[in-house]
Amino acid sequence: QVHLVESGGGLVQAGGSLRLSCAAAGSTFSTRAIGWYRQVTNEQRELIATVNSRGETTYKDFVKGRFTASRDDAKKTAYLSMNSLKPEATAVYYCNAGDMRGIYYYPSSSWGQGTQVTVSS
């Protein structure tokens, strides 16, 4: 089990940037893939980016070129850098420590508490 804590959310104007962090406690962080999700109010949680144990990334089309997922295993921290933010990116963002099998991400029960991102127009 990996305990995760997200941070870095906040209020930003459209076109601005934020970097979210996902700090982990637990010995298996380096072997886990990290999934970044967002949840808009009254909607389902949605996977938007992943970074596997080798640092390889995948992205949903609507964030490609603007969001970058990365990780620093020495710090047991994963990151999601978000640029050119749009108001529709307003959501609670979560990280998850799961597994990558081919191109598919399988979430575990290890979730952070989420961090709110609000993008004003």
Side-chain angles (χ1 to χ4, degrees):
Q1 189 81 353
V2 178
H3 179 66
L4 303 170
V5 177
E6 297 100 337
S7 61
L11 174 63
V12 64
Q13 288 189 329
S17 300
L18 284 173
R19 188 176 80 156
L20 308 183
S21 297
C22 173
S27 60
T28 62
F29 177 80
S30 64
T31 66
R32 312 300 292 275
I34 300 297
W36 284 97
Y37 289 74
R38 71 178 190 184
Q39 188 167 22
V40 177
T41 303
N42 297 325
E43 294 187 10
Q44 287 192 333
R45 201 168 293 187
E46 172 183 36
L47 181 66
I48 60 172
T50 67
V51 53
N52 69 11
S53 59
R54 295 184 298 276
E56 298 164 333
T57 54
T58 67
Y59 302 96
K60 279 291 181 73
D61 284 347
F62 60 85
V63 303
K64 278 182 181 176
R66 299 187 297 115
F67 288 17
T68 303
S70 61
R71 63 191 296 155
D72 184 335
D73 288 345
K75 295 182 179 179
K76 293 188 178 180
T77 303
Y79 304 97
L80 184 67
S81 296
M82 307 186 295
N83 298 317
S84 302
L85 282 163
K86 303 175 182 179
E88 51 264 41
T90 295
V92 179
Y93 286 73
Y94 298 88
C95 60
N96 177 273
D99 295 296
M100 208 74 198
R101 301 173 200 169
I103 62 171
Y104 297 104
Y105 180 79
Y106 292 83
S108 71
S109 58
S110 298
W111 293 93
Q113 84 290 351
T115 186
Q116 175 71 46
V117 171
T118 303
V119 185
S120 63
S121 56

